[in-house]
């Protein structure tokens, strides 16, 4: 663990300790907020009871499916825009203003199209993440050094070797940024959709606990969600750093 990571960890621990102290001293309204230690206790109780396992797995499955579709579709869309500059000039203004429009306005339409099941949630997660992936893929492809592409053609590399040895390593930082953003956006969209209109899932259970003033359950579920998404982002970051180090070793 490097120095920056140690400082980040120390800040997180300090922040949690401050919340624990303030809530124990009732500086924060105890009706609406509970100490972090009780949140952890509630999260463990939820996992041990098994009552929420089906809802948790359902949300994770929907969000994972949305991430896979958004990453795949966004990558293909970004490559297509890179290969078709005229189409890109037409779509560029739409991409720039995409997140200015609240995507959730189409959620009722998705329910009408797909029905009251998992697919509107998957679709809203896909719509939330696909453009972030496409934009970052396009930015990465634009930053591939042209001299390397000319060298590849001069050495008569096959298209597969050109992609494997030049295009992907050069655009990797932007592609990984797109993947991380897609993960976050898809989880936000799926869980928010469960808040709005769903009969099960992570978001539904959190909203149900909130409406019934069940703070241990609500904060326990929120803590489990935070731990899962944080762990997933950490694993993506570790994979990203590993790929970077491997790429540097190949180029030196």
């Amino acid at each position: 663990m490097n120095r920056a990571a140690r400082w980040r960890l120390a800040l997180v621990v300090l922040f949690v300790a401050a919340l624990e102290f303030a809530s124990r001293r009732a500086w924060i309204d105890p009706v609406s907020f509970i100490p972090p230690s009780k949140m952890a206790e509630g999260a463990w109780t939820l996992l041990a009871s098994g009552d929420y396992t089906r809802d948790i797995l359902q949300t994770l499955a929907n969000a994972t499916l949305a991430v896979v579709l958004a990453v795949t579709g966004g990558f293909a869309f970004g490559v297509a825009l890179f290969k078709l500059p005229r189409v890109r000039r037409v779509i560029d203004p739409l991409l720039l203003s995409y997140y200015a429009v609240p995507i959730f306005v189409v959620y009722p339409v998705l329910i009408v199209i797909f029905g009251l099941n998992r697919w509107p949630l998957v679709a809203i997660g896909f719509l939330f993440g696909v453009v972030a992936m496409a934009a970052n893929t396009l930015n990465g492809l634009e930053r591939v050094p042209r001299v390397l592409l000319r060298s590849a053609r001069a050495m008569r590399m096959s298209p597969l070797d050109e992609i494997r040895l030049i295009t992907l390593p050069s655009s990797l930082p932007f592609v990984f940024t797109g993947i991380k953003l897609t993960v976050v956006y898809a989880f936000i969209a799926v869980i928010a959709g469960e808040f709005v209109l769903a009969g099960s899932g992570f978001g539904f259970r959190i909203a149900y606990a909130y409406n019934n003033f069940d703070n241990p359950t609500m904060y326990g579920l929120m803590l489990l969600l935070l731990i899962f998404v944080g762990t997933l982002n950490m694993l993506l970051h570790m994979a990203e750093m590993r790929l970077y180090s491997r790429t540097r070793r190949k180029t030196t």
Side-chain angles (χ1 to χ4, degrees), residues 1 9 35 50 60 73 77 79 85 92 101 109 117 121 128 175 177 185 188 195 205 210 230 232 247:
M1 185 182 295
L9 181 59
L60 296 183
F77 188 38
V79 172
D92 246 349
V101 179
V109 179
N117 49 46
L121 295 171
F128 235 79
V175 172
T177 299
Y185 287 171
I188 290 173
F195 264 91
R205 291 297 182 181
Y210 171 79
L232 185 57
T247 304

Side-chain angles (χ1 to χ4, degrees), residues 127-166:
L127 292 174
F128 235 79
V130 65
V131 171
M133 185 66 198
N136 280 277
T137 300
L138 181 59
N139 287 338
L141 293 173
E142 284 182 336
R143 283 162 176 76
V144 177
R146 296 293 177 264
V147 64
L148 294 180
L149 297 176
R150 288 195 293 269
S151 300
R153 296 188 186 98
M155 291 185 286
R156 297 182 180 179
M157 278 187 181
S158 67
L160 184 60
D161 286 337
E162 182 180 326
I163 293 171
R164 182 173 62 88
L165 298 174
I166 294 176

Side-chain angles (χ1 to χ4, degrees), residues 21 44 53 59 64 118 139 155 157 172 175 177 220 248:
F21 180 78
W44 176 254
T53 303
T59 299
T64 301
R118 68 181 299 189
N139 287 338
M155 291 185 286
M157 278 187 181
L172 194 61
V175 172
T177 299
R248 291 192 198 101

Side-chain angles (χ1 to χ4, degrees), residues 13 25 38 56 81-82 98 121 143 158 180 186 203 244:
V13 172
R25 297 294 298 270
K38 291 191 176 295
I56 293 172
L81 290 178
F82 179 74
Y98 185 79
L121 295 171
R143 283 162 176 76
S158 67
K180 289 188 287 187
Y244 289 168

Side-chain angles (χ1 to χ4, degrees), residues 76-127:
F77 188 38
V79 172
L81 290 178
F82 179 74
K83 295 291 186 181
L84 302 170
R86 291 184 179 178
V87 175
R88 183 193 167 183
R89 284 196 292 271
V90 174
I91 294 184
D92 246 349
L94 301 178
L95 292 179
L96 293 173
S97 60
Y98 185 79
Y99 287 109
V101 179
I103 307 299
F104 278 102
V105 298
V106 303
Y107 188 53
V109 179
L110 295 175
I111 293 175
V112 172
I113 295 173
F114 294 107
L116 193 58
N117 49 46
R118 68 181 299 189
W119 294 111
L121 295 171
V122 174
I124 200 72
F126 169 80
L127 292 174

